[in-house]
Amino acid sequence: MTQPKTVLITGASGLVGSALAVALRQRGHSVRTLSRSSGDVSWDLDKDMLEAGALDGVDSVVHLAGEPIAQRWTAEAKRQILDSRVKSTRLLSEAIASCDRKPSLICASGGNFYGYNISEFVDERSPSGDGFLAEVCRAWEGAAQPAIDSGARTVFMRTGIVLSAKGGALAKMLPPFKLGVGGRIGNGEQKMSWIGISDLVQAYVCAVENEAVSGAVNAVAPEPVTNEVFTKTLGKALGRPTIFPLPAGVVKTLFGEMGKETVLSDLGVLPKRLEALGFEWKTPELDAALKNAIH
Ligand SMILES: NC(=O)c1ccc[n+]([C@@H]2O[C@H](COP(=O)([O-])OP(=O)(O)OC[C@H]3O[C@@H](n4cnc5c(N)ncnc54)[C@H](OP(=O)(O)O)[C@@H]3O)[C@@H](O)[C@H]2O)c1
């Protein structure tokens, strides 16, 4: 057990943040929440306002807040997705830079940093790629530069598809799969990089507690799978057939650019940094991660 820390979480009301707050408290850390509406401290990104004293006594800031990605990408939605992440990260970074005792900044990012259609596997040394989400991730991470320049420890959790029945992609997939009308998406050959929610939470705990962690960390399970394999494994976990494929054309019509960069994306991300840190996944295999998420 490490020294108890005071951790400020943004987006603590969300899928990852709510689970992380529980896990950190269980490990003896003190958790404070920073929210637009319901936290211990507040901020207003439109006004560049962070409540005075928000970072007093804080050892680590875990920054998860951001406008949801899974929505139709109108021009306004894209602006919100980008601005909510960039403005918030800059505000926090500048506040961290001005502290005498600088908290570490552990910032969410996405595996989409590497792009959305990549035949070879990527790791933390790979360059950033194409697409709107890659652009968002670059700007999001770039907004942490004031914290980095000030010498604060900064971590970017480039997260894959988080598996939880409570929210995110899996929660959206469950109703049709439970009804037995689920199936592969497109030709099913696209690689999916995923992580069980409890492993993601442990990766964040590791980043909070371990001073040796900094820079980019791919928060994914060790083995990406194809959409076909994911589909079959989910059907098996639910005891349901998966014989109704969803054609790529339908996805593009229903979800536009968002569908192309998310459910149709072909992205195999490898967690080299977590492996080098000796991180132990509780559910490194998909069938166990899905069963864990569903039951
Ligand atoms: N879930 C995934 O599969 C996944 C994959 C890759 C990366 N990530 C990233 O990991 C982070 C956490 O994910 P999550 O699934 O826990 O997200 P989430 O459930 O959507 O929660 C995000 C939180 O951000 C705050 N928020 C929402 N819209 C905002 C806006 N326009 N401006 C400022 N704050 C806003 C909300 O907190 P308040 O209402 O309290 O302010 C919300 O609870 C996100 O940045 C996400 O992009 C998630």
Side-chain angles (χ1 to χ4, degrees), residues 11 13-16 35-36 64-67 84-85 108-109 140 159-160 162:
S13 55
L15 177 68
V16 178
S35 166
R36 293 166 300 170
L64 304 169
E67 172 77 11
S84 61
R85 288 171 172 78
S109 180
W140 193 359
T159 310
V162 180

Side-chain angles (χ1 to χ4, degrees), residues 4-287:
K5 292 183 188 258
T6 298
V7 184
L8 181 70
I9 306 182
T10 79
S13 55
L15 177 68
V16 178
S18 52
L20 177 61
V22 171
L24 287 170
R25 286 188 177 117
Q26 277 170 354
R27 288 184 64 81
H29 300 298
S30 164
V31 172
R32 271 189 233 159
T33 59
L34 170 58
S35 166
R36 293 166 300 170
S37 55
S38 59
D40 300 316
V41 280
S42 67
W43 56 359
D44 183 337
L45 299 177
D46 290 332
K47 294 185 179 143
D48 264 341
M49 188 286 291
L50 176 64
E51 188 175 313
L55 298 185
D56 288 357
V58 169
D59 300 298
S60 273
V61 178
V62 177
H63 177 33
L64 304 169
E67 172 77 11
I69 304 288
Q71 57 176 305
R72 203 168 171 93
W73 289 354
T74 60
E76 175 56 16
K78 284 171 100 171
R79 189 189 65 76
Q80 289 273 3
I81 289 168
L82 181 70
D83 282 5
S84 61
R85 288 171 172 78
V86 173
K87 281 185 177 179
S88 56
T89 307
R90 192 176 305 121
L91 194 57
L92 288 169
S93 299
E94 286 172 355
I96 287 170
S98 69
C99 290
D100 291 334
R101 196 176 66 87
K102 298 181 198 328
S104 54
L105 174 64
I106 295 149
C107 186
S109 180
N112 312 77
F113 174 89
Y114 303 105
Y116 66 91
N117 201 357
I118 304 181
S119 49
E120 67 274 21
F121 288 93
V122 293
D123 64 34
E124 287 87 347
R125 291 162 307 181
S126 304
S128 186
D130 295 331
F132 171 65
L133 289 179
E135 180 194 327
V136 169
C137 290
R138 283 193 299 273
W140 193 359
E141 295 187 9
Q145 202 58 45
I148 296 171
D149 291 344
S150 77
R153 181 170 72 88
T154 308
V155 181
F156 302 109
M157 297 292 254
R158 294 180 182 160
T159 310
I161 301 160
V162 180
L163 300 186
S164 164
K166 291 187 184 156
L170 181 62
K172 289 193 172 64
M173 292 168 83
L174 282 176
F177 274 77
K178 282 183 175 167
L179 288 172
V181 294
R184 64 158 208 265
I185 299 175
N187 65 14
E189 287 170 14
Q190 68 274 30
K191 295 181 286 306
M192 297 172 67
S193 298
W194 56 274
I195 184 163
I197 180 106
S198 45
D199 280 329
L200 178 61
V201 163
Q202 284 316 307
Y204 273 104
V205 169
C206 167
V208 166
E209 292 180 351
N210 188 342
E211 299 287 328
V213 184
S214 71
V217 174
N218 291 341
V220 290
E223 287 185 25
V225 295
T226 63
N227 174 264
E228 174 97 52
V229 168
F230 189 95
T231 301
K232 287 196 173 136
T233 312
L234 179 56
K236 211 168 151 198
L238 291 168
R240 307 300 289 164
T242 53
I243 51 174
F244 291 96
L246 186 58
V250 175
V251 173
K252 283 180 193 155
T253 307
L254 286 175
F255 305 114
E257 192 184 0
M258 193 275 283
K260 197 174 76 175
E261 289 200 26
T262 56
V263 288
L264 291 173
S265 79
D266 181 19
L267 184 59
V269 180
L270 301 176
K272 287 275 186 258
R273 185 79 180 103
L274 283 180
E275 281 173 348
L277 286 162
F279 184 80
E280 289 180 14
W281 285 261
K282 270 195 222 139
T283 56
E285 274 143 22
L286 183 62
D287 54 350

